């Protein structure tokens, strides 16, 4: 079994409307590539900030900029295609009840939890002309940013709201362009591990990092090892934003998983998880 659960049906760019991309023809393009690449389980996890209902959670300028679609129309559409239905939800400390209200009562197969923001700052937006004001990397101390990132990731896991923890060490995305803490990074990973150990979340192994400045799989092997030690299962995804990115460089993810002795991956339906043999 191979999965790709963290899939976006459109690029993150202006003009990528629901009308243009949430179509049977577009889904067929994704399904054809998934079939070619032996990916049996395909699921969509649209960014929560694309939905007008997300403005009940947060009114950050990023959300106000993107919120345009109706989440129930999205859910109906994805269900009509036979693909698994997910959503990529930000963890926003203090807004748990609002996030839960958004998630509850909707027919998700799984909820992907992401940590894109630390307070009001996006960790993965760097040098963007419109959003550069949020560039915490310019002034922030990488030690502090990494510490806060992994502490918050542990909190996200502990909420129990997320079935999958997406790109768990996303904070490294701009490594090479921005300063990264020195030495053994496990001192940061430790800060997330109590929360992750107490949670029931699957840990996403994502090849998206290979397409980013860092040029590495999310998460680092040392982080994944620590999650495996506390009994967490693995979910496998590419974070594709185009059909061509489905299963992107999965051979490298499979080599990592083999090296760490992972033989099963998480499969979801109606927010219930089971494990299937990997490969
Ligand atoms: Zn993400
Ligand atoms: Zn994503």
């Amino acid at each position: 079994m191979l999965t790709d659960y963290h899939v976006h049906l459109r690029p993150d760019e202006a003009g990528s409307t629901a009308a243009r991309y949430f179509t049977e023809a577009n889904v067929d393009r994704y399904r054809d590539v998934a079939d070619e690449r032996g990916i049996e389980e395909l699921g969509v996890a649209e960014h929560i900030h694309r939905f007008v209902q997300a403005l009940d959670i947060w009114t950050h300028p990023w959300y106000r900029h993107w919120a345009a679609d109706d989440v129930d129309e999205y859910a109906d559409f994805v269900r009509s295609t036979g693909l698994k239905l997910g959503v990529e939800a930000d963890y926003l400390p203090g807004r748990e009840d609002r996030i839960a209200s958004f998630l509850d009562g909707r027919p998700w197969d799984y909820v992907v939890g992401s940590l894109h923001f630390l307070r009001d700052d996006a960790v993965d937006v760097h040098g963007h002309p419109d959003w550069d004001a949020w560039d915490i990397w310019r002034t922030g101390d990488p030690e502090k940013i990494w510490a806060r990132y992994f502490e918050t990731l542990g909190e996200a896991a502990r909420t129990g709201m997320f079935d999958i923890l997406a790109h768990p060490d996303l904070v490294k995305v701009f490594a090479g362009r921005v300063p990264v803490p020195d030495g053994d990074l496990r001192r940061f990973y430790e800060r997330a591990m109590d929360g992750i150990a107490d949670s029931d979340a699957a840990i996403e192994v994502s090849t998206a990092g290979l397409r980013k400045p860092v040029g590495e799989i999310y998460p680092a092997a040392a982080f994944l090892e620590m999650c495996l030690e506390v009994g967490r299962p693995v979910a496998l995804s590419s974070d594709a934003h185009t059909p061509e990115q489905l299963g992107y460089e999965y051979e490298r993810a499979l080599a990592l998983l083999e090296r760490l002795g992972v033989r099963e991956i998480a499969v979801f339906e109606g927010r219930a998880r089971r494990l299937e043999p990997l490969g």
Side-chain angles (χ1 to χ4, degrees):
M1 171 72 80
L2 291 178
T3 62
D4 204 337
Y5 277 149
H6 186 156
V7 170
H8 301 273
L9 291 175
R10 54 189 172 177
D12 291 330
E13 61 189 33
S16 54
T17 60
R20 191 166 152 208
Y21 286 96
F22 294 167
T23 66
E24 215 23 83
N26 189 40
V27 166
D28 284 346
R29 283 193 282 275
Y30 279 76
R31 221 192 312 259
D32 289 349
V33 175
D35 287 349
E36 272 167 35
R37 298 183 183 172
I39 297 164
E40 288 168 72
E41 277 273 305
L42 195 57
V44 184
E46 187 50 271
H47 287 291
I48 199 166
H49 63 242
R50 291 294 198 118
F51 301 115
V52 290
Q53 289 88 345
L55 296 174
D56 295 336
I57 303 173
W58 208 22
T59 54
H60 189 286
W62 182 260
Y63 275 44
R64 280 192 273 119
H65 176 80
W66 285 107
D69 302 338
D70 182 89
V71 67
D72 296 308
E73 285 175 16
Y74 159 75
D76 287 347
F77 170 71
V78 175
R79 303 271 292 182
S80 77
T81 66
L83 300 187
K84 289 285 168 73
L85 172 65
V87 64
E88 180 175 10
D90 291 312
Y91 176 56
L92 301 166
R95 295 174 192 274
E96 291 84 352
D97 290 350
R98 296 174 189 212
I99 299 167
S101 298
F102 178 97
L103 296 174
D104 288 351
R106 295 200 160 102
W108 314 114
D109 289 304
Y110 53 87
V111 173
V112 176
S114 294
L115 190 50
H116 298 116
F117 294 90
L118 294 177
R119 298 195 190 104
D120 285 345
D121 298 316
V123 295
D124 61 340
V125 178
H126 177 62
H128 187 290
D130 294 340
W131 314 111
D132 195 47
W134 308 343
D135 187 357
I136 57 177
W137 297 111
R138 205 168 29 198
T139 52
D141 172 357
E143 290 277 334
K144 285 191 185 143
I145 296 168
W146 277 58
R148 191 146 56 84
Y149 178 90
F150 284 100
E151 268 161 29
T152 313
L153 183 70
E155 288 167 28
R158 202 189 289 277
T159 65
M161 290 195 297
F162 309 116
D163 303 301
I164 299 170
L165 281 188
H167 40 59
D169 60 351
L170 178 71
V171 70
K172 73 182 177 186
V173 59
F174 296 119
R177 294 191 191 171
V178 303
V180 167
D182 294 326
D184 189 340
L185 298 172
R186 283 178 291 192
R187 68 186 186 281
F188 299 104
Y189 308 157
E190 284 291 354
R191 292 171 180 260
M193 280 306 143
D194 282 350
I196 287 174
D198 289 347
S199 80
D200 191 38
I203 305 303
E204 182 182 81
V205 169
S206 170
T207 55
L210 295 168
R211 306 192 300 267
K212 297 292 163 64
V214 65
E216 288 177 12
I217 287 173
Y218 302 120
F223 180 97
L224 186 56
E225 255 172 335
M226 291 165 77
C227 295
L228 296 171
E229 272 165 28
V230 296
R232 300 290 81 233
V234 167
L236 177 62
S237 292
S238 69
D239 209 343
H241 285 66
T242 64
E244 295 68 39
Q245 290 174 345
L246 284 176
Y248 181 80
E249 296 206 22
Y250 263 16
E251 60 287 351
R252 291 177 66 177
L254 294 175
L256 170 67
L257 292 169
E258 191 181 343
R259 182 156 70 77
L260 298 185
V262 177
R263 293 191 183 83
E264 293 179 309
I265 48 168
V267 173
F268 292 89
E269 188 162 1
R271 304 206 66 181
R273 181 181 73 219
R274 64 179 200 277
L275 294 174
E276 293 278 343
L278 173 63

Coordinates of all heavy atoms in Angstrom, one line a residue, residues 132-204:
D132 N 6.2 39.7 3.5 CA 7.5 39.8 4.0 C 7.6 40.4 5.4 O 8.5 40.1 6.2 CB 8.5 40.6 3.1 CG 9.9 40.4 3.4 OD1 10.3 39.2 3.6 OD2 10.6 41.4 3.5
A133 N 6.5 41.2 5.8 CA 6.5 41.8 7.1 C 6.4 40.7 8.2 O 6.8 41.0 9.3 CB 5.3 42.7 7.2
W134 N 6.0 39.5 7.8 CA 5.9 38.5 8.8 C 7.2 37.7 8.9 O 7.2 36.6 9.6 CB 4.8 37.5 8.5 CG 3.5 38.2 8.3 CD1 3.1 39.4 8.6 CD2 2.4 37.6 7.6 NE1 1.8 39.7 8.2 CE2 1.4 38.6 7.6 CE3 2.1 36.3 7.0 CZ2 0.1 38.3 7.0 CZ3 0.9 36.1 6.5 CH2 -0.1 37.1 6.5
D135 N 8.2 38.1 8.3 CA 9.4 37.3 8.2 C 10.1 37.3 9.5 O 11.0 38.1 9.8 CB 10.3 37.9 7.0 CG 11.4 37.0 6.8 OD1 11.6 36.0 7.5 OD2 12.2 37.3 5.9
I136 N 9.8 36.3 10.3 CA 10.4 36.2 11.6 C 11.9 35.9 11.6 O 12.6 36.1 12.5 CB 9.7 35.2 12.5 CG1 9.6 33.8 11.9 CG2 8.3 35.7 12.9 CD1 9.0 32.7 12.8
W137 N 12.2 35.4 10.4 CA 13.6 34.9 10.3 C 14.6 36.1 10.2 O 15.8 36.0 10.5 CB 13.8 34.1 9.0 CG 13.0 32.9 9.1 CD1 11.9 32.6 8.4 CD2 13.2 31.8 10.0 NE1 11.4 31.4 8.8 CE2 12.1 30.8 9.8 CE3 14.1 31.5 11.0 CZ2 12.0 29.7 10.5 CZ3 14.0 30.3 11.7 CH2 13.0 29.4 11.4
R138 N 14.1 37.3 9.8 CA 15.0 38.4 9.6 C 15.5 38.9 11.0 O 16.7 39.3 11.1 CB 14.2 39.5 8.9 CG 15.1 40.5 8.2 CD 14.3 41.4 7.3 NE 12.9 41.6 7.9 CZ 11.9 42.0 7.2 NH1 12.0 42.2 5.9 NH2 10.7 42.2 7.8
T139 N 14.7 38.8 12.0 CA 15.0 39.4 13.3 C 15.1 38.4 14.4 O 15.7 38.6 15.5 CB 14.0 40.5 13.7 OG1 12.7 39.9 13.6 CG2 14.1 41.7 12.8
G140 N 14.5 37.2 14.2 CA 14.3 36.2 15.2 C 15.6 35.4 15.5 O 16.4 35.3 14.6
D141 N 15.7 34.9 16.7 CA 16.8 34.1 17.1 C 16.4 32.6 16.7 O 15.4 32.1 17.2 CB 17.0 34.2 18.6 CG 18.0 33.2 19.2 OD1 18.5 32.4 18.4 OD2 18.3 33.3 20.4
P142 N 17.2 32.0 15.9 CA 16.7 30.6 15.4 C 16.6 29.7 16.6 O 15.7 28.8 16.5 CB 17.8 30.2 14.5 CG 18.9 31.2 14.6 CD 18.4 32.4 15.2
E143 N 17.4 29.8 17.6 CA 17.2 28.9 18.8 C 15.8 29.1 19.4 O 15.1 28.1 19.7 CB 18.2 29.2 19.9 CG 19.7 28.9 19.5 CD 20.0 27.4 19.8 OE1 19.4 26.8 20.7 OE2 20.9 26.9 19.1
K144 N 15.4 30.3 19.5 CA 14.1 30.6 20.1 C 12.9 30.1 19.2 O 11.9 29.6 19.6 CB 13.9 32.1 20.5 CG 14.8 32.5 21.7 CD 14.4 33.9 22.1 CE 15.3 34.3 23.2 NZ 15.7 35.7 23.2
I145 N 13.1 30.4 17.9 CA 12.1 30.1 17.0 C 11.9 28.5 16.9 O 10.8 28.0 17.0 CB 12.4 30.6 15.5 CG1 12.4 32.1 15.6 CG2 11.4 30.1 14.5 CD1 13.0 32.8 14.3
W146 N 13.0 27.8 16.9 CA 12.9 26.3 16.9 C 12.3 25.8 18.2 O 11.5 24.8 18.1 CB 14.3 25.7 16.6 CG 14.6 25.7 15.1 CD1 14.7 26.8 14.3 CD2 15.0 24.5 14.3 NE1 15.0 26.3 13.0 CE2 15.2 25.0 13.0 CE3 15.1 23.2 14.6 CZ2 15.5 24.1 12.0 CZ3 15.4 22.3 13.6 CH2 15.7 22.8 12.3
A147 N 12.7 26.4 19.3 CA 12.2 25.9 20.6 C 10.7 26.1 20.6 O 9.9 25.2 21.0 CB 12.9 26.6 21.7
R148 N 10.3 27.3 20.2 CA 8.8 27.6 20.3 C 8.1 26.7 19.3 O 7.0 26.2 19.5 CB 8.6 29.1 20.0 CG 7.2 29.5 20.3 CD 7.1 31.0 20.8 NE 7.8 31.9 19.9 CZ 7.2 32.5 18.9 NH1 5.9 32.2 18.6 NH2 7.8 33.4 18.1
Y149 N 8.7 26.5 18.1 CA 8.0 25.7 17.1 C 7.7 24.3 17.6 O 6.6 23.8 17.5 CB 8.9 25.6 15.8 CG 8.3 24.7 14.8 CD1 7.4 25.2 13.8 CD2 8.5 23.3 14.8 CE1 6.8 24.4 12.9 CE2 7.9 22.5 13.8 CZ 7.0 23.1 12.9 OH 6.4 22.2 12.0
F150 N 8.8 23.6 18.2 CA 8.6 22.2 18.6 C 7.7 22.1 19.9 O 6.9 21.2 20.0 CB 9.9 21.5 18.7 CG 10.5 21.2 17.4 CD1 11.5 21.9 16.8 CD2 9.9 20.1 16.6 CE1 11.9 21.7 15.5 CE2 10.4 19.8 15.4 CZ 11.4 20.6 14.8
E151 N 7.8 23.1 20.8 CA 6.9 23.1 21.9 C 5.4 23.2 21.4 O 4.6 22.4 21.9 CB 7.1 24.4 22.8 CG 8.1 24.1 23.9 CD 8.7 25.4 24.4 OE1 8.0 26.5 24.3 OE2 9.8 25.4 24.9
T152 N 5.2 24.0 20.4 CA 3.8 24.2 19.9 C 3.4 23.0 19.2 O 2.2 22.6 19.2 CB 3.7 25.5 19.0 OG1 4.4 26.6 19.7 CG2 2.3 25.9 18.8
L153 N 4.3 22.3 18.5 CA 3.9 21.1 17.8 C 3.5 20.0 18.8 O 2.5 19.3 18.5 CB 5.2 20.6 17.0 CG 4.9 19.4 16.1 CD1 4.0 19.7 14.9 CD2 6.3 18.8 15.6
G154 N 4.2 19.9 19.9 CA 3.7 19.0 20.9 C 2.3 19.3 21.4 O 1.5 18.4 21.6
E155 N 2.1 20.6 21.6 CA 0.7 21.0 22.0 C -0.3 20.6 21.0 O -1.4 20.2 21.3 CB 0.7 22.6 22.2 CG 1.4 23.1 23.4 CD 1.5 24.6 23.4 OE1 0.7 25.3 22.8 OE2 2.5 25.1 23.9
A156 N 0.0 20.9 19.7 CA -0.9 20.5 18.6 C -1.2 19.0 18.7 O -2.4 18.7 18.6 CB -0.2 20.8 17.3
A157 N -0.2 18.2 18.9 CA -0.5 16.7 19.0 C -1.4 16.4 20.1 O -2.4 15.7 20.0 CB 0.8 16.0 19.1
R158 N -1.1 17.1 21.3 CA -1.8 16.8 22.5 C -3.3 17.2 22.4 O -4.1 16.6 23.1 CB -1.2 17.5 23.7 CG -1.5 16.9 25.0 CD -0.9 17.8 26.1 NE 0.5 17.8 26.2 CZ 1.3 16.9 26.8 NH1 0.7 15.9 27.4 NH2 2.6 17.1 26.9
T159 N -3.7 18.1 21.6 CA -5.1 18.5 21.4 C -6.0 17.3 21.0 O -7.2 17.3 21.2 CB -5.3 19.6 20.4 OG1 -5.0 19.1 19.1 CG2 -4.5 20.9 20.8
G160 N -5.4 16.4 20.3 CA -6.2 15.2 19.8 C -7.0 15.6 18.6 O -7.8 14.8 18.1
M161 N -6.9 16.8 18.1 CA -7.8 17.3 17.0 C -7.3 16.8 15.6 O -8.0 16.9 14.6 CB -7.8 18.8 16.9 CG -8.6 19.4 18.1 SD -9.0 21.1 17.8 CE -7.4 21.8 17.7
F162 N -6.0 16.3 15.6 CA -5.4 16.0 14.3 C -5.1 14.6 14.1 O -4.5 14.0 15.0 CB -4.2 16.9 14.1 CG -4.4 18.3 14.3 CD1 -3.7 19.0 15.4 CD2 -5.2 19.1 13.5 CE1 -3.9 20.3 15.6 CE2 -5.5 20.4 13.8 CZ -4.8 21.1 14.8
D163 N -5.5 14.0 13.0 CA -5.2 12.6 12.8 C -3.8 12.4 12.3 O -3.2 11.3 12.5 CB -6.2 12.0 11.7 CG -7.6 12.2 12.2 OD1 -8.0 11.6 13.3 OD2 -8.4 12.9 11.5
I164 N -3.3 13.4 11.6 CA -1.9 13.3 11.0 C -1.2 14.6 11.4 O -1.8 15.7 11.2 CB -2.0 13.2 9.5 CG1 -2.7 11.9 9.1 CG2 -0.6 13.3 8.8 CD1 -3.0 11.8 7.6
L165 N 0.0 14.6 11.8 CA 0.8 15.8 12.0 C 1.7 16.0 10.7 O 2.6 15.2 10.4 CB 1.8 15.6 13.2 CG 1.2 15.8 14.6 CD1 2.4 15.8 15.6 CD2 0.4 17.0 14.7
A166 N 1.3 17.1 10.0 CA 1.9 17.3 8.7 C 3.4 17.9 8.8 O 3.7 18.5 9.8 CB 1.1 18.3 7.9
H167 N 4.2 17.6 7.8 CA 5.5 18.1 7.7 C 6.0 18.6 9.1 O 6.2 19.8 9.3 CB 5.6 19.3 6.7 CG 4.4 20.2 6.7 ND1 4.1 21.0 7.7 CD2 3.5 20.6 5.7 CE1 3.0 21.8 7.4 NE2 2.7 21.5 6.2
P168 N 6.3 17.6 10.0 CA 6.5 17.9 11.4 C 7.7 18.9 11.7 O 7.6 19.6 12.7 CB 6.7 16.6 12.0 CG 6.2 15.6 11.1 CD 6.4 16.2 9.7
D169 N 8.7 18.9 10.9 CA 9.8 19.8 11.2 C 9.9 20.9 10.1 O 10.9 21.3 9.6 CB 11.1 19.1 11.4 CG 11.6 18.3 10.2 OD1 10.8 18.1 9.3 OD2 12.8 17.9 10.2
L170 N 8.7 21.4 9.7 CA 8.6 22.5 8.7 C 9.5 23.7 9.0 O 9.9 24.4 8.1 CB 7.1 23.0 8.6 CG 6.8 24.1 7.7 CD1 6.9 23.6 6.2 CD2 5.4 24.7 7.9
V171 N 9.8 23.9 10.3 CA 10.6 25.1 10.6 C 11.9 25.1 9.9 O 12.6 26.1 9.8 CB 10.7 25.1 12.2 CG1 11.6 24.0 12.7 CG2 11.2 26.4 12.7
K172 N 12.3 23.9 9.4 CA 13.6 23.9 8.7 C 13.5 24.3 7.2 O 14.6 24.3 6.5 CB 14.2 22.5 8.8 CG 13.5 21.4 7.9 CD 14.1 20.0 8.0 CE 13.3 19.0 7.2 NZ 13.8 17.6 7.5
V173 N 12.3 24.7 6.8 CA 12.1 24.8 5.3 C 13.1 25.7 4.6 O 13.5 25.4 3.5 CB 10.6 25.3 5.1 CG1 10.4 26.7 5.7 CG2 10.3 25.4 3.6
F174 N 13.6 26.8 5.2 CA 14.5 27.7 4.6 C 15.9 27.5 5.0 O 16.8 28.4 4.8 CB 14.0 29.2 4.8 CG 12.7 29.5 4.3 CD1 11.6 29.9 5.1 CD2 12.5 29.3 2.9 CE1 10.4 30.1 4.5 CE2 11.2 29.6 2.3 CZ 10.2 30.0 3.2
A175 N 16.2 26.4 5.6 CA 17.6 26.1 6.0 C 18.5 26.3 4.8 O 18.2 25.9 3.6 CB 17.7 24.7 6.5
G176 N 19.6 27.0 5.0 CA 20.5 27.4 3.9 C 20.3 28.8 3.5 O 21.3 29.5 3.1
R177 N 19.1 29.3 3.7 CA 18.8 30.7 3.4 C 18.7 31.6 4.7 O 18.9 32.8 4.6 CB 17.6 30.9 2.6 CG 17.7 30.3 1.2 CD 16.5 30.7 0.4 NE 16.5 29.9 -0.9 CZ 15.5 29.9 -1.7 NH1 14.4 30.6 -1.5 NH2 15.5 29.2 -2.8
V178 N 18.3 30.9 5.7 CA 18.2 31.5 7.0 C 19.0 30.7 8.0 O 19.2 29.6 7.8 CB 16.7 31.7 7.5 CG1 15.9 32.4 6.5 CG2 16.1 30.3 7.8
P179 N 19.4 31.3 9.1 CA 20.2 30.6 10.1 C 19.4 29.5 10.7 O 18.2 29.6 11.0 CB 20.5 31.7 11.2 CG 20.1 33.0 10.6 CD 19.1 32.7 9.5
V180 N 20.1 28.4 11.0 CA 19.5 27.2 11.6 C 20.3 26.9 12.9 O 21.6 27.1 12.8 CB 19.5 26.0 10.7 CG1 19.3 24.7 11.3 CG2 18.6 26.2 9.5
P181 N 19.7 26.5 14.0 CA 20.5 26.2 15.2 C 21.6 25.2 14.9 O 21.5 24.3 14.0 CB 19.5 25.6 16.1 CG 18.2 26.1 15.7 CD 18.3 26.2 14.2
D182 N 22.7 25.3 15.6 CA 23.8 24.4 15.5 C 23.6 23.1 16.3 O 22.9 23.1 17.2 CB 25.1 25.1 16.0 CG 25.5 26.3 15.2 OD1 25.3 26.3 14.0 OD2 26.0 27.3 15.8
G183 N 24.4 22.1 15.9 CA 24.5 20.9 16.7 C 23.4 20.0 16.6 O 22.7 20.0 15.6
D184 N 23.3 19.1 17.6 CA 22.3 18.1 17.6 C 20.9 18.6 17.8 O 20.6 19.2 18.8 CB 22.6 17.1 18.7 CG 21.8 15.8 18.6 OD1 20.7 15.8 18.0 OD2 22.2 14.8 19.2
L185 N 20.0 18.5 16.8 CA 18.7 19.1 16.8 C 17.7 18.4 17.7 O 16.6 18.9 17.9 CB 18.2 19.3 15.4 CG 19.1 20.2 14.5 CD1 18.6 20.2 13.0 CD2 19.1 21.6 15.0
R186 N 18.1 17.2 18.2 CA 17.2 16.5 19.0 C 16.8 17.3 20.3 O 15.8 17.0 20.9 CB 17.8 15.1 19.4 CG 17.7 14.2 18.2 CD 18.3 12.8 18.5 NE 19.7 12.9 18.7 CZ 20.6 11.9 18.7 NH1 20.1 10.7 18.7 NH2 21.9 12.1 18.8
R187 N 17.6 18.2 20.7 CA 17.2 19.1 21.9 C 16.0 19.8 21.6 O 15.2 20.1 22.5 CB 18.4 20.0 22.3 CG 18.7 21.1 21.3 CD 19.9 21.9 21.7 NE 20.2 23.1 20.9 CZ 20.9 23.1 19.8 NH1 21.2 21.9 19.2 NH2 21.1 24.2 19.1
F188 N 15.7 20.1 20.3 CA 14.4 20.8 20.0 C 13.3 19.7 19.8 O 12.2 19.9 20.3 CB 14.5 21.6 18.7 CG 15.6 22.7 18.8 CD1 16.8 22.5 18.2 CD2 15.3 23.8 19.5 CE1 17.7 23.5 18.3 CE2 16.2 24.8 19.6 CZ 17.4 24.7 19.0
Y189 N 13.6 18.6 19.2 CA 12.6 17.6 19.0 C 12.0 17.1 20.3 O 10.8 16.8 20.4 CB 13.1 16.4 18.2 CG 13.9 16.7 16.9 CD1 14.8 15.8 16.4 CD2 13.6 17.9 16.2 CE1 15.5 16.1 15.2 CE2 14.3 18.2 15.0 CZ 15.2 17.3 14.5 OH 15.9 17.5 13.4
E190 N 12.9 17.0 21.3 CA 12.5 16.6 22.7 C 11.3 17.4 23.2 O 10.4 16.9 23.9 CB 13.6 16.8 23.7 CG 14.7 15.7 23.6 CD 14.3 14.4 24.0 OE1 13.1 14.2 24.5 OE2 15.1 13.4 23.9
R191 N 11.3 18.7 22.8 CA 10.2 19.5 23.3 C 8.8 19.2 22.8 O 7.8 19.5 23.4 CB 10.5 21.0 22.9 CG 11.7 21.6 23.6 CD 12.1 22.9 23.1 NE 13.2 23.5 23.7 CZ 13.2 24.5 24.7 NH1 12.0 24.9 25.1 NH2 14.2 24.9 25.2
A192 N 8.8 18.4 21.7 CA 7.5 18.0 21.1 C 7.1 16.6 21.6 O 5.9 16.2 21.4 CB 7.5 18.0 19.6
M193 N 8.1 15.9 22.1 CA 7.8 14.4 22.2 C 6.9 14.0 23.3 O 6.2 13.0 23.1 CB 9.2 13.7 22.5 CG 9.9 13.5 21.2 SD 9.0 12.7 19.9 CE 9.6 13.6 18.4
D194 N 6.8 14.8 24.4 CA 5.8 14.4 25.4 C 4.3 14.5 24.8 O 3.5 13.6 25.0 CB 5.8 15.3 26.7 CG 7.0 14.9 27.6 OD1 7.6 13.8 27.3 OD2 7.3 15.6 28.5
G195 N 4.1 15.6 24.1 CA 2.8 15.8 23.5 C 2.5 14.7 22.4 O 1.4 14.2 22.3
I196 N 3.5 14.4 21.6 CA 3.4 13.4 20.6 C 3.2 12.0 21.2 O 2.3 11.3 20.7 CB 4.6 13.5 19.6 CG1 4.5 14.7 18.8 CG2 4.7 12.2 18.8 CD1 5.7 15.0 17.9
A197 N 3.9 11.7 22.3 CA 3.7 10.4 22.9 C 2.4 10.2 23.5 O 1.8 9.2 23.5 CB 4.8 10.2 24.0
D198 N 1.8 11.3 24.0 CA 0.5 11.3 24.6 C -0.7 11.3 23.6 O -1.8 11.2 24.0 CB 0.3 12.5 25.6 CG 1.1 12.3 26.9 OD1 1.7 11.2 27.1 OD2 1.3 13.3 27.6
S199 N -0.3 11.6 22.4 CA -1.4 11.7 21.3 C -1.6 10.4 20.6 O -0.9 9.4 20.8 CB -0.9 12.8 20.3 OG 0.0 12.2 19.4
D200 N -2.6 10.4 19.7 CA -2.8 9.3 18.9 C -2.5 9.6 17.4 O -3.0 9.0 16.5 CB -4.3 8.8 19.1 CG -4.5 7.4 18.4 OD1 -3.5 6.6 18.4 OD2 -5.5 7.2 17.8
A201 N -1.8 10.7 17.2 CA -1.6 11.2 15.8 C -0.6 10.3 15.0 O 0.4 9.9 15.6 CB -1.1 12.6 15.8
A202 N -0.8 10.2 13.7 CA 0.2 9.6 12.8 C 1.1 10.7 12.4 O 0.8 11.9 12.4 CB -0.5 9.0 11.6
I203 N 2.4 10.3 12.2 CA 3.4 11.3 11.8 C 3.6 11.3 10.3 O 3.9 10.2 9.7 CB 4.8 10.9 12.5 CG1 4.6 10.8 14.0 CG2 5.8 11.9 12.2 CD1 4.0 12.1 14.7
E204 N 3.4 12.4 9.7 CA 3.5 12.5 8.2 C 5.0 12.5 7.8 O 5.8 13.3 8.3 CB 2.9 13.8 7.7 CG 2.9 13.9 6.2 CD 2.3 15.2 5.7 OE1 3.0 16.2 5.7 OE2 1.2 15.2 5.3

